[in-house]
C-alpha cells in the first residue's frame, strides 16, 4: 500500500520594509482624507520600500527567513516559485534572482507565477502538485510585490490601496495527515480589463508616449472588482470546505487576501465565519497583492495564533480576474 504524500508548511518568513506611508502622508499628496480611506478600506498605513531595494531582495529575505524556521538550507530546495506581478525585470524570472541571492547552487527549477493577488495560492497549488506526485520534496513558495513602483501617486482610486511586501513558505513532503488538504484555482478571463497595467507588454510596448500618458501604472475599476471579490471569494470558501466534507465551524483561522476590510466583512457574513477568526493586518500593510496571504500567515505563525491540527482557510482574488483557495491542516 502506498502512503499518501501531503505538502506541509514547515517554515514561513516575510519582508516588511521600513518606509511607512500613512493616510495622513497621502492627504498631503492628493485629494483624499484619512477618514475616507479608513472607512472605505480599513487601511491606515502601508509600506513603501527604499529605492535601492528590488523585488528579488524582498523575496530572498522572506524565503531565507522561512528556510531558517524550517531548519533547511537554500540547496535543500527542489523548486522556487515566485508569485509576483512586479518582477525585477520582464526577463528573466525573479525566482532566478532569488535563487542566486540565496546562494542556492543546485540548479533547482525557479520560476514566476503571474496571478496577481492570487499569486501565492497559485504558487502553493503548483508546489502541492509537484510534492504529491513526488516530483519535488521541498519547495519554496513566495508572494512578493513592489507595487509602489507601478502606482500612480496622482490617482486616488488606486494609490491609497496598495503597499509593498513579501512573504514566503517552505513546503515539504509529509506522510502524516497534516498539510495542504486541497487547493482550488480559477480565472474569469472575461474580466481582464478590470485591473490592468496598460503598457509595457506586447499590446502597448514602451514608448515615450506611454510613459508620458502614465500607462505603466495600475488602473482599476474598484467598484466592479469589489463586487466580484465578495462573490467569488465566498464561493471559493464554500467549495473548499465542501470538497473536504467540512463546514464553517471546522475553520480555526481564515488567512484571506487583505484587499479591503469591507470585502472581508462581506465574505465573513456570506460564509458565516466571524471576522474575529480572520487574520487581519490590512490596517498596517494595505493590499500587498500576492504578498498579502504569506505576510499575514507569517505574522500569525510568529504570533502563535496557529496551533497544531488547526484548519486554515486561505482565499485570494485579484487581476485576471484570478482567484483561489487552499485548505490546510496545520
Ligand atoms: N479619497 C477620497 N475619495 C475617493 C477616493 C479616495 N482615495 N477614491 C475614490 N474616491 C471617491 C470617488 O471618486 C467617488 O466619488 P464620486 O461619488 O464623487 O464619483 C467616491 O469616492 C466613491 O467611490 P467608489 O468607487 O464608489 O467607492 P467604493 O466604496 O467602491 O470604494 C474602493 C472604492 C476602491 C476602495 C473599493 O471599490 C475597493 O476596495 N475595491 C476593490 C479594490 C481592490 O482591492 N482590488 C485589488 C484586487 S482584490
Amino acid at each position: 500500500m502506498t502512503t499518501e504524500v501531503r505538502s506541509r508548511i514547515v517554515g514561513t518568513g516575510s519582508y516588511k520594509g521600513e518606509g511607512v506611508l500613512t493616510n495622513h502622508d497621502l492627504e498631503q499628496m492628493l485629494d483624499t482624507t484619512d477618514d475616507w480611506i479608513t472607512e472605505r478600506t480599513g487601511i491606515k498605513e502601508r509600506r513603501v520600500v527604499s529605492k535601492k531595494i528590488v523585488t528579488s531582495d524582498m523575496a530572498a529575505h522572506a524565503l531565507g527567513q522561512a528556510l531558517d524556521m524550517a531548519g533547511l538550507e537554500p540547496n535543500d530546495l527542489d523548486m522556487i516559485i515566485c508569485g509576483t506581478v512586479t518582477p525585477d525585470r520582464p526577463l528573466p524570472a525573479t525566482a532566478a534572482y532569488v535563487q542566486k541571492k540565496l546562494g542556492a547552487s543546485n540548479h533547482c527549477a525557479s520560476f514566476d507565477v503571474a496571478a496577481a493577488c492570487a499569486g501565492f495560492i497559485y504558487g502553493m497549488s503548483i508546489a502541492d502538485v509537484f510534492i504529491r506526485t513526488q516530483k519535488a520534496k521541498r519547495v519554496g513558495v513566495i508572494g512578493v510585490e513592489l507595487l509602489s513602483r507601478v502606482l500612480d501617486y496622482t490617482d486616488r482610486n488606486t494609490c491609497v490601496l496598495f503597499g509593498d511586501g513579501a512573504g514566503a513558505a517552505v513546503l515539504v513532503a509529509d506522510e502524516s495527515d497534516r498539510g495542504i488538504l486541497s487547493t482550488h484555482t480559477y480565472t474569469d478571463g472575461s474580466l481582464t480589463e478590470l485591473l490592468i497595467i496598460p503598457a509595457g507588454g506586447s499590446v502597448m510596448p514602451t514608448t515615450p508616449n506611454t510613459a508620458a500618458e502614465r500607462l505603466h501604472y495600475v488602473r482599476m475599476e474598484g467598484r466592479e472588482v469589489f463586487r466580484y471579490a465578495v462573490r467569488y471569494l465566498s464561493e471559493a470558501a464554500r467549495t473548499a470546505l465542501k470538497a473536504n466534507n467540512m463546514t464553517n465551524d471546522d475553520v480555526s483561522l481564515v488567512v484571506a487576501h487583505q484587499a479591503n476590510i469591507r470585502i472581508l466583512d462581506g465574505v465573513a457574513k456570506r460564509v458565516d465565519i466571524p471576522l474575529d477568526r480572520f487574520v487581519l493586518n490590512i490596517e498596517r500593510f494595505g493590499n500587498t497583492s500576492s504578498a498579502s496571504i504569506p505576510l499575514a500567515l507569517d505574522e500569525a505563525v510568529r504570533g502563535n495564533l496557529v496551533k497544531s491540527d488547526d484548519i486554515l482557510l486561505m482565499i485570494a482574488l485579484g487581476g485576471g480576474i484570478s482567484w483561489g483557495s487552499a485548505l490546510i491542516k496545520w
Side-chain angles (χ1 to χ4, degrees), residues 30-33 36-37 40-41 117 155-158 160-162 195 220-227 229 233 257-260 262-263 287 317-319 321:
L30 71 165
D31 180 17
T32 191
T33 61
W36 192 94
I37 303 171
R40 307 307 293 164
T41 72
C117 305
D155 176 12
R156 68 178 186 175
N157 291 303
T158 51
V160 305
L161 304 172
F162 299 97
L195 182 43
M220 182 175 64
E221 303 284 339
R223 218 175 297 185
E224 282 293 284
V225 176
F226 190 103
R227 212 160 55 82
L233 288 172
H257 172 48
Q258 318 272 311
N260 186 320
R262 288 160 50 226
I263 292 177
N287 181 345
L317 173 141
I321 297 288

Side-chain angles (χ1 to χ4, degrees), residues 219-285:
R219 294 193 178 182
M220 182 175 64
E221 303 284 339
R223 218 175 297 185
E224 282 293 284
V225 176
F226 190 103
R227 212 160 55 82
Y228 285 108
V230 176
R231 179 172 141 204
Y232 285 153
L233 288 172
S234 306
E235 280 175 18
R238 283 197 210 99
T239 304
L241 291 172
K242 197 168 170 205
N244 292 282
N245 296 316
M246 290 189 191
T247 70
N248 48 349
D249 289 335
D250 294 307
V251 178
S252 320
L253 216 53
V254 183
V255 190
H257 172 48
Q258 318 272 311
N260 186 320
I261 192 69
R262 288 160 50 226
I263 292 177
L264 297 181
D265 192 45
V267 173
K269 289 197 173 92
R270 283 183 177 219
V271 298
D272 198 16
I273 300 177
L275 211 47
D276 63 14
R277 265 193 269 159
F278 284 59
V279 180
L280 296 176
N281 64 9
I282 186 168
E283 189 178 272
R284 289 176 289 125
F285 297 106

